[in-house]
Amino acid sequence: MKPLEILKTAIANSVRSKLRTTLTILAIFVGAFTLTITNGLGTGISNYIDSQVAAVGSSNSFTVSKTNTNTAPGAGPAKYDPSTRVLAAGGRPGATELALSQADLKSIAAVPGITAVTPLTRVSPAYIEWNGHDKYQLSVLPLAGAQPQLAAGSSLDDSSSQSQIVLPVTYVGPLGLSDNNQAVGQTVVIGIDDAAGNMHEVSAQIVGIEQSSLLGVSGGFINKALSTALSNAQGTGAPAAAKDAFADATATFAPSTQAQINTMKSQLSAKGYTAQTLDDRIGTVKTVINAIIGVLDAFAVIALVAAGFGIVNTLLMSVQERTREIGLMKAMGMGSGSVFALFSTEAAFIGFLGSAIGSAVAIGIGTVVSRALARGPLSDLGGLHVLSFAPASVAVVIILVMVIAFVAGTLPAWRAARQNPIDALRYE
Amino acid sequence: MSVPILAARDLTKTYGKGPDRFDALKGVSLEVQRGESVAIVGKSGSGKSTLMHLLALLDTPGTGQIHVDGTEANDLSTRRLNALRNSLFGFVFQQFFLNPASSVLENVALPLKIAGVGPRERRRRALEVLEQLQLADKAKNKAANLSGGQKQRVVIARALVNNPQVLFADEPTGNLDTATGRIVEDILFDLNRKDGITLITVTHDHELAQRFERRIFIRDGLLINTDEEHAA
């Protein structure tokens, strides 16, 4: 029997007992539906995180700080070293971090692969105001290479000599601006205290408005020109040495493979620096989400395994019912291989029907629900589509279900194949 | 004398083991010439069906050999054996074994499908053989909607569609009334006489057996020379 004929006959056979086939397909449908939904959830959330991550920093840069070798609790006080300086750091009270000096920056830049090193200056503006309206507190994020998700306007230009800022959407109303589009292009005034306590005012142009985001940094993004201006204003009157101590630096590198990144990391580590890419910092969030999706997937697979037993049952009944037919076909010279192929193809076809319908319905319902959520409860998180379906992963789901169905079909198919034509024909 | 189409030597067949052991055949030898019509006659349990199944290569004998057209069947691979059954033999069963949900045409074309013949050719040859049996108008009907006589004619059409050289029939008229049975018998003998198809039929019906050129009587797994039931 030719393969195409086997396929056609298997399809014809599977629709012969409609009620039984339909029930089996329903069981598979539930599994495939769940698996597609959990998959869509995983894809949707990962996509969102990826876009959010891009907002916080570029993927081809390290945040470099000096490795503090003496932080183990109970290790006692660290010995004083005149060549290092210490800055107060966040975290538990009394925590300090080692400062980076100009010499450190040069040393970092010397690592092969690093293209540029920018010290991260922490500037602490006092307020922001527009056009004489009320003043509001502001924190700024001088993250090199950050690509905030914009609701209006354009991205920052680090090469421009003009001072630029991207503000979160929440600032638009309070500052007295009527909407996002009006805000873009306006000049705001940022007030900042210097070391001697005098207030300086620096003006900057709003180039973009940022969507509200999950990784929620409620500050403005500033470009290099504004960062320099603010840091100069802040540093006015400070001792020269203070200007030269940085908590962290951003080291950028050309797009590299993971292996190259790891090499650079270990070289930096050998020099006594701690380098983290964005993935390192976001990694834990992703791991947790992947674990949750994995658990959901496991439930879906359990449902599918249960459906697999349904297939075994359906086909065993089918084999029983068609015993004489199988005997007849074997008497007419059909080989055991063809009989086996006929029944396992039927199983795979039932699996295909169940998974294709399940996936299609899941995509349909998932898209509607996801849109409704994005408009309603989740509208604060712009750009979040809880469920999104990648063709590749849907195809994987369908193929996986077909494989489960095929495996489930092998037992009945084997039973059918090994039947002796005579016993089968005598069967009443 | 030419090589017999079927030759059996010292066939035995045993079912079961130990106390349940049952010897269905205890050493049967026979030859069937090309174009012959042979009736295997015996009571139920005599081993006549077992003998036919062995001759049709549907089952393997315990001991003994079967030669098909001079070839020892034991030497053939399963694949060759399947192909041989498909191309050389046709089967007519008492219980028809039609697929009730399929059309008459599909039922008749089944052996061709198994042989790997294309759909167009299958249709042509199936229609041809249905024409021959005056069933062409029923080609599209579901097999379930036919009368017993029509069903048995469809079964004969299915057996003939491969142009077999040997037609095996197991109680071909067993499920039919006398008049319809007669029509089916006439068809079978016609095929034997006009087309030269070797006809091997298992029956317990002595009236039917009388119409064959040769009768083989079997009792308790052994061939006997005379129809002792009628002789007695």
Side-chain angles (χ1 to χ4, degrees):
Chain A
M1 213 163 168
K2 288 179 179 164
L4 186 66
E5 292 296 341
I6 287 183
L7 180 66
K8 276 198 212 160
T9 312
I11 291 173
N13 285 346
S14 63
V15 296
R16 230 200 265 172
S17 177
K18 289 192 186 65
L19 180 64
R20 200 166 58 201
T21 307
T22 309
L23 288 174
T24 316
I25 287 176
L26 271 180
I28 300 164
F29 170 91
V30 173
F33 180 87
T34 319
L35 203 56
T36 311
I37 288 284
T38 56
N39 245 297
L41 207 59
T43 313
I45 291 179
S46 311
N47 282 351
Y48 183 63
I49 287 178
D50 285 345
S51 68
Q52 294 296 316
V53 163
V56 187
S58 71
S59 57
N60 57 339
S61 66
F62 290 125
T63 302
V64 186
S65 59
K66 218 163 197 179
T67 310
N68 201 340
T69 50
N70 217 342
T71 50
K79 198 154 191 198
Y80 173 67
D81 176 355
S83 69
T84 59
R85 294 186 52 200
V86 166
L87 295 174
R92 67 192 155 90
T96 57
E97 58 184 297
L98 299 175
L100 293 168
S101 65
Q102 288 292 350
D104 289 317
L105 297 185
K106 279 195 189 128
S107 164
I108 293 167
V111 169
I114 303 279
T115 53
V117 180
T118 333
L120 271 180
T121 336
R122 289 188 179 159
V123 290
S124 317
Y127 62 83
I128 181 170
E129 74 162 326
W130 174 70
N131 209 9
H133 285 72
D134 289 344
K135 293 173 180 169
Y136 286 90
Q137 290 185 0
L138 173 74
S139 64
V140 293
L141 308 153
L143 288 169
Q147 287 161 352
Q149 302 284 300
L150 297 176
S154 54
S155 310
L156 296 170
D157 181 6
D158 268 343
S159 60
S160 166
S161 61
Q162 186 197 33
S163 294
Q164 295 177 338
I165 186 166
V166 169
L167 284 175
V169 72
T170 48
Y171 273 80
V172 172
L175 284 178
L177 294 155
S178 60
D179 62 36
N180 294 348
N181 291 328
Q182 194 221 341
V184 174
Q186 299 294 333
T187 303
V188 288
V189 174
I190 299 166
I192 188 162
D193 289 312
D194 71 10
N198 301 316
M199 187 62 71
H200 294 254
E201 290 200 330
V202 176
S203 53
Q205 191 184 30
I206 303 175
V207 291
I209 299 296
E210 190 211 0
Q211 288 177 355
S212 25
S213 85
L214 181 67
L215 298 175
V217 269
S218 60
F221 292 86
I222 59 180
N223 74 343
K224 217 173 212 168
L226 183 54
S227 166
T228 313
L230 287 174
S231 121
N232 285 341
Q234 186 175 254
T236 310
K243 275 192 183 174
D244 233 17
F246 312 103
D248 317 278
T250 302
T252 43
F253 49 85
S256 316
T257 63
Q258 192 58 44
Q260 288 170 312
I261 291 174
N262 288 340
T263 313
M264 284 188 271
K265 251 193 220 172
S266 58
Q267 281 172 333
L268 285 166
S269 156
K271 288 185 173 195
Y273 303 106
T274 304
Q276 280 190 307
T277 59
L278 202 59
D279 280 345
D280 297 336
R281 286 187 281 161
I282 303 297
T284 37
V285 179
K286 275 196 160 174
T287 311
V288 169
I289 287 174
N290 283 341
I292 293 170
I293 299 292
V295 170
L296 292 175
D297 275 348
F299 282 120
V301 168
I302 289 171
L304 279 175
V305 169
F309 285 105
I311 295 181
V312 176
N313 198 22
T314 303
L315 282 178
L316 276 180
M317 282 170 73
S318 205
V319 169
Q320 190 94 342
E321 225 170 57
R322 304 215 291 259
T323 302
R324 297 214 294 201
E325 190 188 331
I326 296 163
L328 178 77
M329 291 196 294
K330 292 192 91 170
M332 287 173 175
M334 186 149 162
S336 300
S338 294
V339 175
F340 182 88
L342 193 61
F343 277 89
S344 44
T345 307
E346 186 176 334
F349 176 70
I350 291 175
F352 170 75
L353 272 189
S355 59
I357 297 172
S359 297
V361 171
I363 291 172
I365 292 179
T367 309
V368 170
V369 167
S370 174
R371 278 200 194 134
L373 283 176
R375 267 199 304 272
L378 298 176
S379 58
D380 285 347
L381 298 172
L384 171 59
H385 292 282
V386 180
L387 293 160
S388 72
F389 302 96
S393 61
V394 173
V396 167
V397 168
I398 292 179
I399 290 170
L400 173 76
V401 174
M402 283 178 73
V403 168
I404 291 178
F406 181 86
V407 171
T410 50
L411 173 68
W414 177 73
R415 267 208 164 180
R418 81 179 173 153
Q419 272 179 354
N420 185 342
I422 289 307
D423 297 340
L425 285 175
R426 276 209 206 101
Y427 176 88
E428 290 297 329
Chain B
M1 201 161 134
S2 65
V3 182
I5 184 90
L6 283 171
R9 194 172 311 136
D10 299 327
L11 292 183
T12 66
K13 182 73 183 174
T14 306
Y15 296 109
K17 271 181 197 154
D20 296 331
R21 186 184 153 102
F22 170 66
D23 295 311
L25 289 181
K26 297 169 181 165
V28 171
S29 302
L30 61 88
E31 284 188 356
V32 178
Q33 299 301 324
R34 212 175 271 276
E36 253 191 310
S37 68
V38 180
I40 301 172
V41 192
K43 285 191 283 191
S44 85
S46 60
K48 62 184 190 302
S49 289
T50 305
L51 177 59
M52 192 197 85
H53 292 151
L54 289 181
L55 289 176
L57 308 179
L58 289 172
D59 211 349
T60 42
T63 59
Q65 297 123 32
I66 297 166
H67 292 262
V68 180
D69 211 2
T71 315
E72 158 81 74
N74 265 340
D75 295 345
L76 295 173
S77 67
T78 318
R79 182 183 288 268
R80 282 280 301 125
L81 208 63
N82 282 335
L84 189 84
R85 270 210 309 272
N86 186 271
S87 62
L88 214 59
F89 297 162
F91 297 97
V92 176
F93 301 97
Q94 179 180 5
Q95 305 94 328
F96 313 137
F97 297 130
L98 290 169
N99 182 354
S102 300
S103 72
V104 166
L105 190 75
E106 283 167 46
N107 267 297
V108 171
L110 183 62
L112 295 176
K113 197 164 159 182
I114 291 170
V117 176
R120 197 180 295 260
E121 175 73 1
R122 279 208 304 263
R123 200 185 145 75
R124 191 187 64 74
R125 279 169 66 179
L127 276 176
E128 203 177 270
V129 72
L130 280 173
E131 194 81 49
Q132 186 187 342
L133 291 165
Q134 282 133 37
L135 279 167
D137 55 325
K138 304 277 184 218
K140 287 198 172 64
N141 290 29
K142 288 261 180 289
N145 302 336
L146 299 178
S147 70
Q150 285 169 336
K151 275 184 187 161
Q152 195 58 298
R153 269 147 70 203
V154 171
V155 172
I156 294 172
R158 182 178 64 192
L160 290 177
V161 78
N162 267 347
N163 298 321
Q165 297 184 28
V166 185
L167 202 58
F168 289 97
D170 189 352
E171 306 277 9
T173 56
N175 269 353
L176 304 175
D177 61 66
T178 321
T180 342
R182 194 80 190 171
I183 296 169
V184 169
E185 281 170 28
D186 289 345
I187 294 171
L188 290 175
F189 285 113
D190 239 31
L191 288 167
N192 174 248
R193 259 191 304 276
K194 287 187 187 153
D195 303 333
I197 296 176
T198 311
L199 186 62
I200 299 176
T201 301
V202 165
T203 186
H204 65 272
D205 177 354
H206 286 82
E207 218 173 303
L208 170 61
Q210 287 306 319
R211 299 186 65 185
F212 285 80
E213 285 170 18
R214 187 148 72 96
R215 283 160 297 282
I216 295 170
F217 298 98
I218 184 165
R219 194 184 63 183
D220 297 334
L222 286 169
L223 297 191
I224 48 175
N225 288 326
T226 49
D227 182 358
E228 49 176 41
E229 234 160 275
H230 275 234

